[in-house]
Amino acid sequence: MSEPGALGLGPVVLQAGVDSDVNPAYLAIFVVYLLLVLAIGAWAYLKTNDVEDFWVYGKRLGPWLATWSYVANFVSAVSVIGYIGSVYGGGYSIVTGIVFGLMLGVSGLYFVVHKVRELNHVTFPDIIAELTGYEIARPITGTVLLANAWVYLIMQLVGAGLLVTVITGVPYEYMIWVIGGVFILYTVLGGLVSVAWTDLVQGTLMVATVAVALGYMALDLGGIASINQQFAAIEPANVAPLGEGAYTVLGVVASIVAFFGTIFTSQATIVRINATDSIRTAKIHLAAGGAILSVFYVMLVTLGAGTTVALNGAGLAVENVDRAFPVLITEYVPTTIGTVIIVAILSGILSTTDTRLHACGVTTARDIYDYFADGEPSDERLMNVSRISTVVFGLAATAAAVDPPGTIIGLYNWRAILLTSALLIPVYVTLYRRDTAGKAVLLSIVLGAVFGPGWEALGTPLGVPAAFMGVGMAVVGLAVGHAAWRGDEGTPTAATASDD
């Protein structure tokens, strides 16, 4: 892609880390927003009576609340800032490489959700333990999920910090701790009750305000068709399905596999499915959520093109693509429209952040602490462990976000590879083939978790995508392990199997 600003005046390159003067109007909006979500958290604390309420909303989540909570959970800093930044840097190829895979993931989950709900477990590791017959599957799988959730927390905080720093002028290293502290507090207070109700508010605001922002950009730039024409004029590869060498066909397939795998293997997704009041509600919330998200992503990608055109025409450029949309807000759109957009972005980021943070607390207490604890811990003890671990993981992610290890999309790709490599094949196979050897499933999880991210860390040698390597090794481990151990195990159950 050509350098933004080539069709206008000389580009004004906005450096990452340069803080502008404090903007009182935007800062006031941000403070009011944080007070609102804290108030919801305090209300939810009064509604949380036991560990089942904290973990899965007492299994009373209805269709309306479940749908909007799922939409808000799904859309994050990756979507609102990362995707727009990716369109700014690489054009519409993100639709082929990432969004298509995400939507396939939601569609695929719809057809397997009844099996998940019928198992009637709280967490994903619980399901693995029943499918394999080995309780040790809980801490093994839980460790993979915690690594994923922690990385996800970091990238959400980075997105929130970049946005709020650019729009308010408050230095990033201070603002990141304010944001981290607030979302930790309201998640700790009410668990999934806090998360679900804040998500309802945030999901509704998010979709509505992105629609308003796109409408404004379309009017300002001459319509959607005009945006596409100007976007193509900047660089023809912007409108090519695979971009300008950004993706190969093999890379697109690997991306679809990776992101498809993250949907079903997400702890937050499993917790929400099991929090619904029925299988019917579980299916409805996925179908309705998928329809809303499909429209939302079309709007978001088009808004990315509009952002590129607007910044280019104004002679603005950014070195860090994640800052493209925040710069549009502060340097291009009127304050009124900017205020609307800010609400949308903050809603998307915080709604996903609280979900992943809640999942960390549930995973630590239910899948790790409960396994290693002497005797059977009380519900009160488990809820306390959930809250303490929520604080610890939140603080650790906030500290890491001060100096992040990569871009938002880069971090998202890494956790997609981890989840897909470790869990996609063994879980799907054992859901439909209950006679699969339990030890083979555990071997498959370990091999996928090691080889997928490991191959990515090595720079994908031989041009083989990391998702392919991880999934391939998981398949090998499952096949070889099943051949070696299928005669040794019989048909164990999670309640009776030995953990040798």
Side-chain angles (χ1 to χ4, degrees):
M1 175 177 177
S2 63
E3 186 70 10
L7 298 183
L9 302 174
V12 180
V13 179
L14 300 171
Q15 304 285 344
V18 175
D19 298 316
S20 60
D21 294 334
V22 173
N23 185 314
Y26 285 142
L27 184 58
I29 293 164
F30 175 65
V31 171
V32 169
Y33 184 86
L34 293 185
L35 290 175
L36 172 63
V37 295
L38 281 175
I40 295 174
W43 169 83
Y45 177 78
L46 300 176
K47 300 293 183 181
T48 304
N49 300 314
D50 53 35
V51 73
E52 188 173 73
D53 287 340
F54 191 88
W55 284 354
V56 288
Y57 202 86
K59 297 192 175 182
R60 303 186 307 273
L61 208 58
W64 181 255
L65 189 57
T67 296
W68 281 104
S69 182
Y70 185 69
V71 169
N73 155 62
F74 207 89
V75 179
S76 61
V78 174
S79 300
V80 182
I81 295 180
Y83 283 8
I84 288 177
S86 183
V87 173
Y88 176 86
Y92 288 146
S93 59
I94 190 174
V95 176
T96 307
I98 296 178
V99 176
F100 186 48
L102 289 173
M103 292 302 98
L104 279 179
V106 176
S107 301
L109 183 57
Y110 177 87
F111 294 103
V112 77
V113 69
H114 63 286
K115 286 188 170 288
V116 175
R117 193 64 175 79
E118 286 167 355
L119 290 171
N120 198 31
H121 288 303
V122 172
T123 67
F124 197 75
D126 277 335
I127 294 173
I128 304 293
E130 175 163 325
L131 294 176
T132 62
Y134 290 92
E135 282 289 297
I136 199 172
R138 289 166 54 201
I140 290 174
T141 310
T143 300
V144 172
L145 294 174
L146 283 176
N148 159 71
W150 189 64
V151 171
Y152 214 111
L153 286 174
I154 294 171
M155 66 189 189
Q156 297 308 310
L157 285 167
V158 170
L162 283 171
L163 169 71
V164 178
T165 293
V166 170
I167 64 176
T168 66
V170 178
Y172 175 86
E173 60 269 24
Y174 301 141
M175 189 52 70
I176 202 75
W177 285 104
V178 172
I179 297 169
V182 169
F183 85 77
I184 290 169
L185 181 57
Y186 81 76
T187 304
V188 165
L189 285 173
L192 192 60
V193 180
S194 289
V195 169
W197 281 100
T198 54
D199 282 356
L200 174 62
V201 173
Q202 293 169 154
T204 305
L205 286 172
M206 180 178 54
V207 174
T209 50
V210 165
V212 170
L214 178 59
Y216 170 81
M217 294 301 293
L219 288 172
D220 186 63
L221 297 173
I224 300 297
S226 176
I227 289 175
N228 287 327
Q229 290 171 358
Q230 294 177 69
F231 194 44
I234 293 171
E235 172 57 63
N238 281 341
V239 295
L242 300 181
E244 191 175 34
Y247 290 96
T248 61
V249 173
L250 185 63
V252 169
V253 174
S255 179
I256 290 173
V257 170
F259 288 105
F260 174 75
T262 64
I263 307 301
F264 176 63
T265 56
S266 166
Q267 179 80 309
T269 298
I270 298 301
V271 168
R272 265 182 174 71
I273 289 172
N274 291 317
T276 55
D277 56 21
S278 66
I279 292 177
R280 179 175 178 273
T281 296
K283 283 184 170 289
I284 287 173
H285 98 282
L286 286 175
I292 294 169
L293 287 168
S294 296
V295 175
F296 180 81
Y297 279 119
V298 171
M299 293 192 300
L300 202 59
V301 171
T302 307
L303 186 56
T307 297
T308 306
V309 171
L311 294 182
N312 184 287
L316 299 170
V318 293
E319 291 186 338
N320 181 346
V321 296
D322 286 341
R323 295 175 69 91
F325 199 40
V327 167
L328 179 82
I329 298 171
T330 57
E331 303 293 331
Y332 187 85
V333 302
T335 300
T336 304
I337 299 298
T339 300
V340 171
I341 297 173
I342 290 165
V343 171
I345 300 178
L346 286 176
S347 296
I349 292 171
L350 291 181
S351 63
T352 304
T353 304
D354 59 26
T355 297
R356 294 314 191 277
L357 186 58
H358 171 258
C360 283
V362 174
T363 303
T364 303
R366 171 68 190 131
D367 302 314
I368 297 179
Y369 176 81
D370 183 60
Y371 176 81
F372 289 105
D374 292 330
E376 185 174 346
S378 66
D379 285 355
E380 182 180 2
R381 181 66 175 168
L382 288 173
M383 189 153 66
N384 287 337
V385 171
S386 289
R387 283 181 162 142
I388 292 169
S389 55
T390 295
V391 173
V392 171
F393 274 97
L395 291 176
T398 304
V402 172
D403 184 18
T407 65
I408 292 173
I409 287 293
L411 292 171
Y412 194 72
N413 285 337
W414 187 90
R415 51 82 58 177
I417 291 167
L418 170 66
L419 279 186
T420 301
S421 299
L423 301 177
L424 179 61
I425 294 300
V427 175
Y428 261 110
V429 169
T430 49
L431 271 176
Y432 289 94
R433 291 293 303 271
R434 298 296 294 275
D435 61 341
T436 306
K439 290 180 182 178
V441 175
L442 298 181
L443 176 63
S444 179
I445 291 172
V446 172
L447 288 178
V450 170
F451 278 90
W455 200 253
E456 178 72 11
L458 292 173
T460 62
L462 307 176
V464 178
F468 282 1
M469 176 56 69
V471 169
M473 291 305 298
V475 170
V476 170
L478 192 66
V480 173
H482 181 67
W485 290 315
R486 61 182 171 181
D488 299 339
E489 297 182 350
T491 55
T493 65
T496 61
S498 167
D499 283 337
D500 51 57

Short mmCIF file of all heavy atoms in Angstrom, two decimals, residues 275 299 345 387 435 451 465 487:
data_model
loop_
_atom_site.label_atom_id
_atom_site.label_comp_id
_atom_site.label_asym_id
_atom_site.label_seq_id
_atom_site.Cartn_x
_atom_site.Cartn_y
_atom_site.Cartn_z
N ALA A 275 -24.48 -20.86 30.81
CA ALA A 275 -25.22 -19.92 31.66
C ALA A 275 -26.63 -19.69 31.15
O ALA A 275 -27.47 -19.13 31.87
CB ALA A 275 -24.48 -18.58 31.73
N MET A 299 -19.98 -3.14 8.32
CA MET A 299 -19.89 -1.72 8.63
C MET A 299 -18.48 -1.34 9.07
O MET A 299 -17.94 -0.30 8.68
CB MET A 299 -20.90 -1.36 9.73
CG MET A 299 -22.35 -1.47 9.33
SD MET A 299 -23.48 -0.70 10.54
CE MET A 299 -23.11 -1.64 12.02
N ILE A 345 -16.21 2.54 20.89
CA ILE A 345 -14.95 1.82 21.04
C ILE A 345 -14.74 1.37 22.48
O ILE A 345 -14.35 0.23 22.74
CB ILE A 345 -13.77 2.70 20.58
CG1 ILE A 345 -13.93 3.07 19.10
CG2 ILE A 345 -12.46 1.98 20.79
CD1 ILE A 345 -12.85 3.98 18.58
N ARG A 387 -12.33 -14.50 42.78
CA ARG A 387 -12.14 -13.05 42.90
C ARG A 387 -10.66 -12.68 43.03
O ARG A 387 -10.19 -11.73 42.41
CB ARG A 387 -12.95 -12.52 44.08
CG ARG A 387 -14.44 -12.42 43.77
CD ARG A 387 -15.24 -11.88 44.92
NE ARG A 387 -16.55 -11.40 44.45
CZ ARG A 387 -17.69 -11.55 45.12
NH1 ARG A 387 -17.69 -12.15 46.30
NH2 ARG A 387 -18.82 -11.09 44.62
N ASP A 435 -15.51 -43.00 22.11
CA ASP A 435 -14.63 -44.13 22.41
C ASP A 435 -13.15 -43.78 22.19
O ASP A 435 -12.28 -44.63 22.32
CB ASP A 435 -15.00 -45.34 21.55
CG ASP A 435 -14.87 -45.07 20.05
OD1 ASP A 435 -14.85 -43.87 19.67
OD2 ASP A 435 -14.80 -46.04 19.28
N PHE A 451 3.54 -27.20 19.63
CA PHE A 451 4.02 -27.03 18.26
C PHE A 451 3.38 -25.84 17.54
O PHE A 451 4.04 -25.21 16.71
CB PHE A 451 3.78 -28.31 17.45
CG PHE A 451 4.84 -29.34 17.66
CD1 PHE A 451 4.72 -30.29 18.67
CD2 PHE A 451 5.98 -29.37 16.88
CE1 PHE A 451 5.70 -31.25 18.88
CE2 PHE A 451 6.98 -30.31 17.08
CZ PHE A 451 6.84 -31.26 18.09
N PRO A 465 2.20 -22.62 7.66
CA PRO A 465 1.54 -21.81 8.69
C PRO A 465 1.53 -22.52 10.04
O PRO A 465 1.40 -23.75 10.12
CB PRO A 465 0.12 -21.64 8.15
CG PRO A 465 0.26 -21.82 6.67
CD PRO A 465 1.33 -22.85 6.48
N GLY A 487 -6.92 -49.93 23.78
CA GLY A 487 -7.25 -51.19 24.44
C GLY A 487 -6.98 -51.19 25.93
O GLY A 487 -7.38 -52.10 26.65
#
